């Protein structure tokens, strides 16, 4: 299979994932204006969405997985490309492994925080070491936010300076 065909396939996968994200976004924007907006704790960034909690968490997970699948597809295309250099293949393999570690870390931390009694938890870890934790509560006190941040630090080693705890009330 030629490089051009592989790139076209990878581009097609990306376009499909983008289409799914757009459809989910359109669905979420059809919510009535009368629904209450989410609130956030004082030390967290406010969420700018009007979705219910279940829709918000489902959409956020879908977007996270779409981005991750796109990155994995691009890496797979590089790895499968007979014209890729050994360094490019090595970098692609390293990226795939990093994506796997990030996904596992997010999943483990979501389970750990959900164990504190939260119905929904979303953890997003970026390549540059930023960690966002969103819980399905109208608000939490500073002690609980600190407990979540401490659990995240102990689990991941990520500095509390690179961590944000958000609340969602859908």
């Amino acid at each position: 299979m030629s490089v051009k065909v592989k790139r076209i396939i990878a581009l097609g996968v990306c376009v499909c994932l983008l289409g799914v994200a757009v459809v989910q976004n359109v669905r979420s924007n059809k919510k009535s204006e009368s629904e209450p907006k989410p609130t956030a704790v004082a030390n967290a960034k406010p969420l700018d969405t009007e979705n219910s909690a279940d829709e918000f968490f489902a959409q956020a997970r879908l977007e996270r997985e779409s981005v991750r699948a796109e990155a994995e597809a691009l890496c797979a295309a590089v790895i499968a490309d007979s014209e890729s250099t050994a360094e490019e293949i090595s970098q692609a393999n390293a990226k795939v492994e990093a994506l796997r570690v990030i996904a596992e870390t997010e999943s483990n931390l979501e389970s750990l925080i959900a164990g504190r009694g939260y119905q929904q938890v979303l953890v997003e870890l970026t390549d540059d070491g930023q960690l966002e934790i969103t819980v399905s509560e109208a608000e939490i006190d500073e002690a609980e936010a600190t407990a979540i941040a401490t659990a995240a630090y102990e689990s991941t080693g990520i500095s509390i300076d690179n961590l944000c705890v958000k609340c969602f009330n859908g």
Side-chain angles (χ1 to χ4, degrees):
M1 192 180 306
S2 74
V3 174
K4 188 174 183 178
V5 171
K6 290 177 186 176
R7 288 185 178 155
I8 290 172
I9 291 171
L11 180 61
V13 169
C14 294
V15 169
C16 289
L17 292 173
L18 179 61
V20 169
V22 168
V23 167
Q24 289 295 327
N25 191 24
V26 168
R27 283 184 184 168
S28 67
N29 286 337
K30 289 184 179 179
K31 285 294 190 190
S32 76
E33 295 290 325
S34 63
E35 289 186 16
K37 293 186 178 182
T39 58
V41 293
N43 67 335
K45 299 176 191 172
L47 296 172
D48 57 350
T49 181
E50 296 180 352
N51 296 341
S52 72
D54 289 339
E55 290 173 343
F56 168 78
F57 285 96
Q59 182 177 358
R61 283 189 179 93
L62 177 65
E63 289 174 11
R64 179 179 69 184
E65 295 306 314
S66 294
V67 169
R68 192 165 290 145
E70 179 182 340
E72 288 175 353
L74 292 174
C75 290
V78 169
I79 293 167
D81 186 355
S82 61
E83 295 179 15
S84 294
T85 66
E87 183 177 336
E88 290 171 333
I89 292 172
S90 176
Q91 289 174 347
N93 281 323
K95 178 68 175 180
V96 168
E97 178 61 18
L99 291 170
R100 186 195 62 75
V101 168
I102 287 172
E104 185 177 317
T105 300
E106 289 171 344
S107 177
N108 290 342
L109 192 51
E110 284 175 356
S111 295
L112 177 70
I113 296 169
R116 297 185 63 84
Y118 295 102
Q119 201 170 33
Q120 293 273 7
V121 178
L122 178 70
V123 174
E124 294 180 280
L125 178 60
T126 63
D127 289 337
D128 61 351
Q130 298 295 314
L131 183 66
E132 279 190 7
I133 301 168
T134 307
V135 295
S136 59
E137 292 292 323
E139 62 181 62
I140 55 175
D141 60 23
E142 190 173 330
E144 182 62 13
T146 301
I148 291 171
T150 301
Y153 170 74
E154 290 172 354
S155 176
T156 65
I158 293 175
S159 167
I160 291 180
D161 293 335
N162 295 332
L163 190 138
C164 179
V165 176
K166 299 178 183 180
C167 292
F168 182 89
N169 180 20

